[in-house]
Amino acid sequence: MKEDKLQKHMIFGCAMLLALFVGLMLFVTSIVQANPAPDSAAGSATFRPKCAICHGPDGSGSEVGKSMNVTDLRSPAVQKLPDAELTQVISNGKGGMPSFKSSLSEDQIHSLVVHIRSLHQKK
């Protein structure tokens, strides 16, 4: 009898710990999603002077960029590209886009990729 009661208490305790753990994980996940990473702010700060002249402040293309047929960075075609490919395009350039590997650090380029990923939400 005592063993059954002890077993029920152990199961109840484990269930409570599991519920607490899941609740904390959901809470932390919601905080992370609500607060953009510092890379977003750094990427935005780099994007304005280096990219917005052609891609526009929201990634859709400035008047200059549209006249050169730049790609809308918010488009599904850009958003589905792997991070490595976006990094390569920023670093080495593509078409009429210049290379930025000599003027931006790896961290800045990574921050730009994070910023480009955030642009899809602004469409």
Side-chain angles (χ1 to χ4, degrees), residues 25-37 40 118 120-121:
M25 291 303 294
L26 292 173
F27 177 71
V28 168
T29 302
S30 67
I31 289 174
V32 168
Q33 289 176 346
N35 297 321
S40 294
S118 75
H120 82 281
Q121 299 167 349

Side-chain angles (χ1 to χ4, degrees), residues 7-116:
Q7 188 176 15
K8 286 180 183 179
H9 283 286
M10 292 292 290
I11 291 172
F12 179 76
C14 288
M16 292 302 293
L17 284 173
L18 180 63
L20 179 64
F21 177 75
V22 169
L24 285 173
M25 291 303 294
L26 292 173
F27 177 71
V28 168
T29 302
S30 67
I31 289 174
V32 168
Q33 289 176 346
N35 297 321
D39 283 340
S40 294
S44 179
T46 302
F47 187 86
R48 282 190 299 271
K50 297 287 188 180
C51 310
I53 191 162
C54 294
H55 290 286
D58 65 351
S60 65
S62 67
E63 292 303 315
V64 171
K66 288 177 182 176
S67 71
M68 297 184 306
N69 296 319
V70 299
T71 304
D72 184 341
L73 298 177
R74 306 169 305 163
S75 71
V78 172
Q79 292 296 319
K80 72 178 182 182
L81 292 174
D83 288 355
E85 191 169 341
L86 288 175
T87 298
Q88 180 186 16
V89 170
I90 295 167
S91 296
N92 301 326
K94 183 175 181 179
M97 182 175 149
S99 166
F100 286 97
K101 65 182 165 194
S102 62
S103 61
L104 295 176
S105 69
E106 286 183 28
D107 287 341
Q108 287 174 309
I109 291 172
H110 172 74
S111 294
L112 282 173
V113 171
V114 171
H115 181 72
I116 290 167

